Amino acid sequence: MKDVPIAPIPFFFCRRMKTIALGLAILCASAATIPAQETGSGSSVAGKVRELELARLDAQRRKDNRTLDAMLDNALVWVEPNGVQLTKADYLANLRSSEGDILEIAPAPMTVHVFGDIAIVAGIYREKGVKGGRLYLQRVRFIDTWTFKDGKWVCIAAAATSSIS
Amino acid sequence: MKRWKWLAALLCLATFYAPAQTSGDAESKVRALERLWGEAAQFRDLRALESLFDESLIYVHIDGRLMTKAQVLADTAAVSAVDIVVESSTAHAYGDAVIVVGILRLKGMEGGKPYLRHGRFVDTWRYKDGRWVCVASMTTAMQEGSMTK
């Protein structure tokens, strides 16, 4: 192999490269701090949160506490349709120990509003189950708030009411 | 000189992406806005209410009605005087969002008859364009026995 002589880089090229390097560094740093959901379109985030909401309702029906534990933030604010406020631990414990069975949770079309790192889901679902040997049916209106935290969407507040006008 | 340039560039970035305020600041500001909301609703100050709500507000009234911002303002203007007292509330900040949960008491007249209702509210606030605005609010009518929980 022959040694190829390297021509010296002209001074103005050196300066330009430094400027480009500085620009690239700023660009990379900016990209790293952009919230993850903004890299996609708003509608794709809405779609993802909608899927999570459906998965949450399904996990609630199946009393799948492990799935719910991963979806719910530890500081979750939970309000039952009768106005009782529960912590995440209370909600999961109640679900685990409840005697009744939820046979079906049928959500109606829901709306999702995305505001940067926050997504609001509003909708109605119909719940059918058995409690104390008796069949029950209730309609619930809910508003859930999700936030993008530590690389994933988690539910931070879930409020519901059985009064539907 | 070169080092200063890098430092200045990083400082600019840090400032640009810094959260609007600390969690404690955000929580106390939003709780103050919640008090303002109660007063504005009580005195039917629509201008004040308008400034507190985001254009895409999702609102669920204590009676279960799902309302837009325009509907909330129209409803406030139309109803008779309501005495609104926030009995307790706590706030939790998540970056540029704050969740407030609390209990409110509504006292007024409806159809010539006095009423007293208690509701548990959950409000979501968002820091937008240099100020806090409410993007979602739901009040659930509290049934007997749910007050202490």
Side-chain angles (χ1 to χ4, degrees):
Chain A
M1 287 201 38
K2 281 182 184 176
D3 285 340
V4 180
I6 300 169
I9 301 170
F11 175 71
F12 68 91
F13 272 133
C14 275
R15 287 198 64 181
R16 183 165 289 179
M17 282 170 76
K18 278 177 189 165
T19 310
I20 290 169
L22 180 65
L24 279 172
I26 291 170
L27 201 66
C28 290
S30 309
T33 52
I34 290 171
Q37 75 284 1
E38 286 181 14
T39 56
S41 67
S43 62
S44 70
V45 174
K48 183 170 186 170
V49 172
R50 185 177 281 109
E51 276 174 23
L52 283 167
E53 188 66 55
L54 292 171
R56 185 189 73 71
L57 292 173
D58 188 51
Q60 185 174 316
R61 181 188 62 78
R62 293 183 288 108
K63 299 184 181 181
D64 179 353
N65 275 18
R66 186 174 290 187
T67 301
L68 289 168
D69 185 36
M71 286 180 163
L72 307 175
D73 187 65
N74 286 336
L76 171 82
V77 169
W78 181 277
V79 176
E80 296 270 8
N82 62 1
V84 172
Q85 186 187 341
L86 300 174
T87 62
K88 175 182 173 176
D90 289 339
Y91 164 66
L92 292 178
N94 275 10
L95 195 65
R96 198 183 307 119
S97 64
S98 64
E99 289 171 10
D101 279 321
I102 302 170
L103 303 174
E104 185 190 25
I105 293 183
M110 50 184 87
T111 58
V112 183
H113 289 251
V114 180
F115 305 95
D117 276 349
I118 292 287
I120 308 285
V121 186
I124 293 176
Y125 64 82
R126 195 187 67 231
E127 183 179 312
K128 197 161 86 178
V130 179
K131 215 172 198 172
R134 299 182 71 173
L135 195 71
Y136 73 87
L137 186 68
Q138 68 170 346
R139 279 178 83 215
V140 175
R141 188 187 291 286
F142 67 92
I143 292 184
D144 292 352
T145 305
W146 296 73
T147 192
F148 193 76
K149 185 181 169 188
D150 301 330
K152 63 171 188 160
W153 286 92
V154 285
C155 182
I156 54 175
T161 179
S162 49
S163 314
I164 300 177
S165 298
Chain B
M1 192 64 188
K2 281 181 213 164
R3 279 185 191 168
W4 281 111
K5 270 187 191 169
W6 281 97
L7 202 62
L10 288 173
L11 198 66
C12 285
L13 273 174
T15 311
F16 189 74
Y17 289 107
Q21 51 228 300
T22 64
S23 314
D25 283 349
E27 288 162 5
S28 55
K29 274 182 190 170
V30 167
R31 288 183 72 185
L33 290 171
E34 286 274 351
R35 284 193 290 275
L36 184 67
W37 180 352
E39 285 166 20
Q42 191 166 336
F43 297 108
R44 285 178 278 179
D45 182 348
L46 299 186
R47 190 174 287 183
L49 288 176
E50 170 143 37
S51 70
L52 295 173
F53 301 152
D54 188 68
E55 287 308 312
S56 56
L57 172 77
I58 301 168
Y59 182 93
V60 176
H61 195 268
I62 193 167
D63 62 13
R65 277 179 295 158
L66 176 68
M67 299 159 94
T68 62
K69 176 179 178 175
Q71 288 168 331
V72 174
L73 294 174
D75 191 62
T76 307
V79 295
S80 56
V82 184
D83 183 24
I84 303 169
V85 177
V86 174
E87 295 186 339
S88 64
S89 73
T90 55
H92 192 112
Y94 293 87
D96 280 350
V98 173
I99 302 289
V100 184
V101 59
I103 295 175
L104 54 80
R105 189 182 68 212
L106 303 169
K107 210 165 128 183
M109 297 284 282
E110 209 169 59
K113 288 182 177 175
Y115 68 83
L116 174 67
R117 289 180 194 143
H118 280 91
R120 175 101 54 192
F121 65 89
V122 178
D123 297 339
T124 304
W125 293 75
R126 179 191 171 220
Y127 194 72
K128 182 187 172 188
D129 302 331
R131 66 193 181 101
W132 288 95
V133 283
C134 183
V135 291
S137 174
M138 177 180 244
T139 302
T140 304
M142 295 176 75
Q143 293 166 12
E144 217 172 301
S146 60
M147 286 289 289
T148 52
K149 293 175 186 172

